[in-house]
């Protein structure tokens, strides 16, 4: 074998890398690891500045472990560097990526290193993280006098391999160190548990717990603080320095801390959170942490709550006068000891607790017994309030009930000491969040400090003003808005235990039964009140009254009083008018308050008054605020600015005329219940029907009186005319018949006509004095039309009208106003004899005459009138526009007589004459006076005679009066 060859440079680098990696794997001492790494870097890399630092995760600090400098002074390389946001070193630690700087002397993100770089003329610099499994364990800084910071691939690879191996070894050493330093908490806790079992009283057990905690954690002080609910303060019950501390001793003031002082600290303990305050770390807010440390005069604190049955009993605190980082082991041990204390704490008051539970059960039993017995409810509540106040150590017992009309809570029962006055103010309705809080609650809602707590915020001012500082609130019912609330108050800041809150909850649910009984009683009373108002109002409205207007207004005022009594309104008035009027009259009903009033002499225009128009446009009642009223309304209506208005029109039917509006006013704070509003609306509707009935009655009575006077007058005049006519005929008969033959013929004809007229007049006076008499006659239609046309001959000539008769069996012939005899206009063939009508001929003739006169008056001068006759058989239904179904006319052979003309007629009159159109007798109508009144009389008369009369307009605008008359049958 030959001599071994000298290794080349690349092989030497690999061998050096292997040796250093092997050295790092086999070494456990951190300082040796750092020195080995520095030696390798100095040997293999040309850098004048090398610095290695290890990273402390808890404190975010780099600890310098050494390196090399040009002047061999490495003292500053072992200093502690606190990382700040924006630093190059912090960027490398957080991002765990190498970072290069071309010139370290100009880098503003490395302030301390700039001075060193200027001192040693360092420019190009590389900062690399020492990491393992995404965990940064330290950093390496390499500085060169050359500008720039590039590394070749091979150099960078060797450097990263060394740093990777160093990171893995450091990580393993750290884990091993933590495991070695970790203390076992199970053995000390088990030893403490055994000691607690052997000790007899609570103070000895607290002393053992404090000593064990102080020995394990080794703080400067270890204390147990106890919580007093009444007064809401903590006092130091046990300490490693003062073994026994009495609550009433002189040290209490020094050791006592109020909840107001502790604030966030107290609320964190109350929800079973451990509080840890160490070096630059705190589980509380920073501003409060400083305040708490100053109050306890310490630099570090670890506190674990002592809780029993969800109630904070106190806390175990370990305190240090120097900044300290509390380990998880410290936290777990302190929390475990606090848990053991919470288990042994109740034994001190076990007997009193059992006695208290028995008394609580007895209290709830007595409340239930009192509710379901026949004792007075006030007496039951008095006994219950006395025992609850004594049990809970409270000042006031308040039972509130929601009033939907006032939209607030009223005190329906309250109990307080003799030297305290009852509360007389109402409480506002709950805000939405407070209402939801009570809705979700299954126990009493506790307010320990009303000055600071934001719950029930709108109750704070009146309660604080009356000395309330803390309170418990329970809902007694489970409505959407709790109908009843039970409130217990105290005059100082305090808290209550879970057992006390559960007791109050149980009592409140039983009191809810009392409230429901009261609600039923109040509802019954209200229904009785409504029933009495209905009875009184109906009695008033149904009693017989005359038509004197003053008495009518008195009745309306009485009805308004009953309506106002249901809603409890201080103002009720009626705006009244008659159909067709343009101005409303104010009828005052109730004015019980000087803030409400009306100007009764004001004239209110119906079309311009907003209140009236709003009421008319609303089907039922309308409620609105006074702020919405226009200035014109405020001139005659006086209501407070925060008032509210209810208006409802006196409406009976959608087609009937409205004759008034009821106006009610009240304060805005009042809220009318739906039951009362419904009752008031019913009474207003009843008032509308009563007013309509009275108006119709007055109208009919007035019309009847006028018609009776007219009938009496005309009947007496007809009697006189009949007497004079009969006397004249007697005188004519006494004179004898003239001798001249022609004169004698004419004389006898006229005499027969006069005899016939006098006979018909005598029959009418005898049979139709106070009612119509229907007779039965027959007459050919041709004769009837001929007589009817003769009666309007002068009217036809004056109007120069053309008239034609069609459908009597002959070709149409037209009658000119110049014709001297109208008889030639009517066919007279034998076929007409079969066209005879049956009925009361005189009345039918008057109807036809009225239709012809109406047609003439509506026609223009020189116009045309047509009379159409058509026979309708019973077997063929009528195909005309308005076929009749009344009077049995279509069940026999009938004659359809239609009179058409081109004159004008009001569309409203045609609508009102239609049989199926509803008619309001109080509304102004075209049928109240001629000619519409005459046409209506004819229409009604034809129905009584077994015929039919209709009016309509054809598409070519011709107006048709269609008359249906019964024809004489062949067997008649």
């Amino acid at each position: 074998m030959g001599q071994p060859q000298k290794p080349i440079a690349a092989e030497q680098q690999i061998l050096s890398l292997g040796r250093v990696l092997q050295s790092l794997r086999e070494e456990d001492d951190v300082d040796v690891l750092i020195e080995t790494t520095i030696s390798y870097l100095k040997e293999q890399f040309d850098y004048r500045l090398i610095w290695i630092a290890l990273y402390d995760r808890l404190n975010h600090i780099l600890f310098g472990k050494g390196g090399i400098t040009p002047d061999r002074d490495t003292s500053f390389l072992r200093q502690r560097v606190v990382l700040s946001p924006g630093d190059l070193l912090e960027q490398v630690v957080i991002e765990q990526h190498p970072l290069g700087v071309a010139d370290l002397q100009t880098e503003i993100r490395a302030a301390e290193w700039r001075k060193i770089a200027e001192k040693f003329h360092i420019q190009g610099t590389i900062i690399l993280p020492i990491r393992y499994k995404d965990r940064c364990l330290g950093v390496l800084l390499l500085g060169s006098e050359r500008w720039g910071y590039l590394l070749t691939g091979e150099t960078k690879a060797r450097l990263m391999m060394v740093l990777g191996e160093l990171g893995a070894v450091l990580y393993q050493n750290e884990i091993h160190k933590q495991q070695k330093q970790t203390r076992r908490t199970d053995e000390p806790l088990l030893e403490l548990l055994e000691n607690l079992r052997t000790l007899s009283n609570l103070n000895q057990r607290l002393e053992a717990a404090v000593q064990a905690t102080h020995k394990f954690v080794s703080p400067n002080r270890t204390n147990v603080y106890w919580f007093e609910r009444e007064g809401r303060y903590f006092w130091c019950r046990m300490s490693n320095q003062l073994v026994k501390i009495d609550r009433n001793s002189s040290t209490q003031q020094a050791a006592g801390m109020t909840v107001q002082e502790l604030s966030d600290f107290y609320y964190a303990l109350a929800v079973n959170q451990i509080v840890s305050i160490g070096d630059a770390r705190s589980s509380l807010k920073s501003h409060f942490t400083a305040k708490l440390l100053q109050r306890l005069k310490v630099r570090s604190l670890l506190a674990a709550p002592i809780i029993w049955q969800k109630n904070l009993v106190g806390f175990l605190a370990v305190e240090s006068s120097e900044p300290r980082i509390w380990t998880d082991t410290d936290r777990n041990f302190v929390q475990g000891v606090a848990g053991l204390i919470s288990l042994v704490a109740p034994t001190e008051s076990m007997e009193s607790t059992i006695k208290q539970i028995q008394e609580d059960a007895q209290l709830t039993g007595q409340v239930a017994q009192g509710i379901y017995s026949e004792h007075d409810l006030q007496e039951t509540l008095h006994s219950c309030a006395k025992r609850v106040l004594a049990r809970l150590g409270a000042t006031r017992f308040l039972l509130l009930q929601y009033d939907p009309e006032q939209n607030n809570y009223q005190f329906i029962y309250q109990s307080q000491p003799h030297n305290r006055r009852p509360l007389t103010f109402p409480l506002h309705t709950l805000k939405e969040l407070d209402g939801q809080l009570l809705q979700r609650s299954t126990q009493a809602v506790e307010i320990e400090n009303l000055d600071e707590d934001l719950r029930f915020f709108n109750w704070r001012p009146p309660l604080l003003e009356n000395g309330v500082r803390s309170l418990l609130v329970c809902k007694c019912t489970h409505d959407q808005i709790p109908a009843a609330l039970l409130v217990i108050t105290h005059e100082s800041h305090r808290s209550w235990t879970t057992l006390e809150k559960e007791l109050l909850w149980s009592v409140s649910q039983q009191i809810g039964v009392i409230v429901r009984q009261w609600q039923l009683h109040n509802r019954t009373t209200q229904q009785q009140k409504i029933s009495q108002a209905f009875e009184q109002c109906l009695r008033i409205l149904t009693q017989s009254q005359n038509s004197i207007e003053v008495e009518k207004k008195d009745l309306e005022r009485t009805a308004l009083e009953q309506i106002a009594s249901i809603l409890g309104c201080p103002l009720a008035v009626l705006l009244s008018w008659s159909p067709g009027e343009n101005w409303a009259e104010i009828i005052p009903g109730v004015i019980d308050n000087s803030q409400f009033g009306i100007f009764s002499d004001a004239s209110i225009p119906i079309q311009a008054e907003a209140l009236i128009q709003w009421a008319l446009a609303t089907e039922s009642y309308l409620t609105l605020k006074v702020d919405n009223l226009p200035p014109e309304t405020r001139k005659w209506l006086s209501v407070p600015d925060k008032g509210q208005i209810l208006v409802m029109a006196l409406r009976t039917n959608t087609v009937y005329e409205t004759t008034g509006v009821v106006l009610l006013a009240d304060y805005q704070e009042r809220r009318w219940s739906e039951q009362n509003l419904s009752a008031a609306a019913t009474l207003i509707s009843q008032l509308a029907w009563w007013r309509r009935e009275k108006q119709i009655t007055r109208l009919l009575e007035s019309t009847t009186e006028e018609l009776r006077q007219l009938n009496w007058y005309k009947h007496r005049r007809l009697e006189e005319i009949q007497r004079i006519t009969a006397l004249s005929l007697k005188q004519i008969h006494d004179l004898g018949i003239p001798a001249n033959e022609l004169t004698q013929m004419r004389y006898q004809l006229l005499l027969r006509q006069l005899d016939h007229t006098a006979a018909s007049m005598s029959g009418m006076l005898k049979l139709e004095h106070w009612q119509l008499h229907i007779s039965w006659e027959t007459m050919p239609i041709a004769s009837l039309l001929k007589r009817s046309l003769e009666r309007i001959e002068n009217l036809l000539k004056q109007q120069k009208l053309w008239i034609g008769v069609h459908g009597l069996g002959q070709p149409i012939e037209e009658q000119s106003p110049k014709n001297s005899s109208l008889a030639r206009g009517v066919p007279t063939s034998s076929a007409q004899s079969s066209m005879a009508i049956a009925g009361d001929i005189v009345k039918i003739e008057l109807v036809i005459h009225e239709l012809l006169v109406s047609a003439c008056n509506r026609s223009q001068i020189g116009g045309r009138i047509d009379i159409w006759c058509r026979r309708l058989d019973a077997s063929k239904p009528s195909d005309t526009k308005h076929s009749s179904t009344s009077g049995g006319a279509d069940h026999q052979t009938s004659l359809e007589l239609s009179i058409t003309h081109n004159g004008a007629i009001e569309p409203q009159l045609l609508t009102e004459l239609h049989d199926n159109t509803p008619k309001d007798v109080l509304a102004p109508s075209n049928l109240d006076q001629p000619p519409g009144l005459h046409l209506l009389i004819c229409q009604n008369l034809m129905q009584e005679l077994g015929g039919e009369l209709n009016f309509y307009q054809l598409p070519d605008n011709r107006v048709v009066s269609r008359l249906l008359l019964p024809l004489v049958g062949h067997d008649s």
Side-chain angles (χ1 to χ4, degrees), residues 391-392 494-504:
R391 167 68 177 87
L392 301 183
R494 68 155 297 172
S495 63
W496 286 271
T497 65
T498 302
L499 188 62
E500 291 171 334
K501 289 186 283 188
E502 290 176 352
L503 169 65
L504 187 65

Side-chain angles (χ1 to χ4, degrees), residues 96 130-137 164 167-169 171-172:
Q96 298 186 28
I130 303 172
R131 55 187 293 271
Y132 181 76
K133 291 185 177 180
D134 295 329
R135 181 171 177 176
C136 183
L137 301 169
V169 176
Y171 178 79
Q172 295 297 330

Side-chain angles (χ1 to χ4, degrees), residues 520-585:
L520 291 175
H521 175 72
N522 293 337
R523 192 173 302 168
T524 303
T525 304
Q526 183 65 27
Q527 289 176 349
Q528 290 176 350
K529 181 180 177 181
I530 294 175
S531 178
Q532 291 173 359
F534 268 87
E535 182 180 352
Q536 177 73 6
C537 201
L538 292 176
R539 183 182 63 80
I540 295 170
L541 300 181
T542 54
Q543 63 184 359
S544 59
Q545 297 290 336
N546 53 34
S547 59
I548 301 177
E549 188 68 18
V550 176
E551 295 184 1
K552 170 179 171 290
K553 290 184 178 180
D554 290 339
L555 292 176
E556 289 171 339
R557 290 191 184 97
T558 305
L560 290 173
E561 291 174 358
Q562 298 300 322
I563 295 171
S565 67
I566 292 178
L567 297 178
C569 295
L571 176 68
V573 296
L574 173 64
L575 307 179
S576 175
W577 65 86
S578 297
E581 293 183 352
N582 297 322
W583 298 88
E585 175 190 8

